[in-house]
Each structure stands twice: as structure tokens, then as C-alpha cells.
Amino acid sequence: MDAIDAARAVVEEHHPDARAAFLGGSVVTARRTAMSDLDIVVVLRGAPAPYRASFRHDGWPVELFVHTEATWYAYVEREVRKRRSPLLWMCAAGLLLFDTDGVGARIAADARKLTTAGPPGVPAEEIDDRRYAITDLLDDLSGSTDQGEQLFIATELARRTGELALAVGGSWNASGKWLARGLDTTAPGLGLRLHHAVREVLEGQVEPLIGVVDEVLGQAGGRFWAGYRRSGWTP
């Protein structure tokens, strides 16, 4: 059973009275892999929405995101404020499986409008928080002689640096594979450079990674540690 037929079968089995459903994620793109799951957004009229569930169906791993029209908009609004909304993108770029009363078309149109408009701006305070955390990690990397420590410092630096690059570039935030894909668009070549630089750390050379990270930091104002202050800080 192909992905589209499988997704329709999932909705029919679990929510035959659904108003609309979308199939999103990697499975509907050219980046589909053997491990791609079915990311399915289902729109109901009421309970048991909202909820999400993970399970297998006919050999397919399934991620089911179930909402009412109202909860879909509420969740998206909350996620957009954080500049990262998988739910929004599943409906903006995904396949509308069926639409009984027009709610699917309405959600799809609003989702595309929001993704096209882009995320809200990044507060200066958040940029400073990111600069501070990265600067602290750079100091840790420069001072460490333990290979185990260097591994985890380097991978954390790569992740945080990629996220800072997306923020500085005005792009949607992302994590995991979507962080790598976001960097391909926002900062072409940066992901590969970070990859090679982390490998250099594993071979005992920290300078290449420090250099790449400092370049990205430079776009945000450079390193920042002395003078950093936050009120109401908690661990």
C-alpha cells in the first residue's frame, strides 16, 4: 500500500467522521526515505480532539495529529510565536487527502499564507541569550582536553550555531533533520562546514569548528559573555 492510500486507510479506521485530513512530512517530498513515517493531520468537529498518537499501520509508522478547527488555529498561533510550527507546515506543504465541508481548503490556504509571510522577528534578548550560550560552549571547547567532553560540546555547538544562523537569517526555527534542511536554504554550505568541523574535533583539531562558529556569531554581534545579565533567572 502506498503512502497516500495508507494515510487514507488510517483516517478511515480511526476517524471515519473526520471533516478533513492532510498527509505531510518527508513522505510527500523527494527527500522521502525508507524510514519516513506518515504524518497525518486530522480535523474533527469535537472530542476526542485535540490529541496526538504514534502507532503502526500496515507496516507504516504513523504520527497522528488530531484537532478541531479551533484547536488547529490555537496550536498554530502558539507555535508560530516560537517560530517553529510543524503543524503549520504539514498543512501548508502537505497533501489534502479529503475535505468534506471546505475546512481543509481554508486551513491549507491560511497555512500557506502564514508560511509565506515568514516567522515573527527574533527579539534582541533572545539573540543575546544564544550568543551567550555559544560563547560559553566555545570557552569549554577551547579548555577541554577530554575527547568525550569535546564530542558533546562540539555537537551542541553545531546545533546551537545552526539555530542562531536561522534566527539571524529570519527563517523558521527547526531541529533535527529539519535544521539541516533549513540551513540549506538560509545559509547554504554552513551545515556541511559544521559537519566537517565537528569531525575535525574528533580528530583533535578544535580550531576549524571555532572558526565556523565565530563567523556565525559575527553576524549576530560576536561573542558575548562579560556583561550578560538576566533578571529572574532560574536553572
Side-chain angles (χ1 to χ4, degrees):
M1 186 178 296
D2 72 11
I4 297 174
D5 288 340
R8 288 195 172 110
V10 166
V11 180
E12 179 62 28
E13 177 179 330
H14 290 267
H15 293 292
D17 57 344
R19 300 174 66 189
F22 297 82
L23 175 61
S26 300
V27 76
V28 293
T29 73
R31 294 187 182 236
R32 171 178 170 175
T33 73
M35 298 303 293
S36 292
D37 55 13
L38 301 179
D39 291 323
I40 306 172
V41 179
V42 179
V43 183
L44 304 182
R45 295 188 183 279
Y51 78 89
R52 65 174 291 178
S54 301
F55 52 89
R56 288 190 173 273
H57 176 91
D58 196 29
W60 284 96
V62 178
E63 293 275 9
L64 197 64
F65 305 84
V66 182
H67 284 276
T68 66
E69 183 177 7
T71 66
W72 186 90
Y73 281 98
Y75 274 60
V76 164
E77 181 181 5
R78 183 177 64 191
E79 291 177 349
V80 165
R81 288 198 298 266
K82 299 177 181 179
R83 300 188 313 283
R84 181 174 181 266
S85 180
L87 180 60
L88 177 66
W89 282 97
M90 282 187 281
C91 296
L95 173 68
L96 182 58
L97 295 171
F98 65 86
D99 184 10
T100 64
D101 59 6
V103 67
R106 184 161 57 250
I107 285 176
D110 288 343
R112 287 191 291 268
K113 181 178 179 180
L114 286 169
T115 56
T116 299
V122 185
E125 184 176 86
E126 180 181 328
I127 294 293
D128 285 348
D129 288 343
R130 293 181 181 277
R131 291 168 59 204
Y132 170 82
I134 292 173
T135 300
D136 197 45
L137 285 167
L138 284 172
D139 289 342
D140 287 345
L141 183 62
S142 296
S144 176
T145 58
D146 182 282
Q147 287 187 321
E149 290 181 358
Q150 289 177 343
L151 167 64
F152 292 103
I153 295 169
T155 53
E156 183 69 2
L157 265 174
R159 179 184 68 83
R160 287 180 177 268
T161 300
E163 291 174 346
L164 178 61
L166 292 183
V168 171
S171 298
W172 293 95
N173 198 9
S175 63
K177 64 186 180 184
W178 297 103
L179 175 54
R181 294 175 185 181
L183 289 177
D184 284 345
T185 301
T186 304
L190 177 59
L192 187 59
R193 293 180 65 202
L194 286 169
H195 169 78
H196 290 313
V198 170
R199 293 186 62 181
E200 291 285 332
V201 171
L202 301 182
E203 296 174 3
Q205 301 296 320
V206 301
E207 291 81 8
L209 180 57
I210 291 173
V212 176
V213 173
D214 270 329
E215 283 185 28
V216 177
L217 276 174
Q219 300 171 26
R223 297 193 190 196
F224 183 36
W225 192 88
Y228 178 80
R229 179 188 175 112
R230 284 291 176 267
S231 299
W233 178 86
T234 56

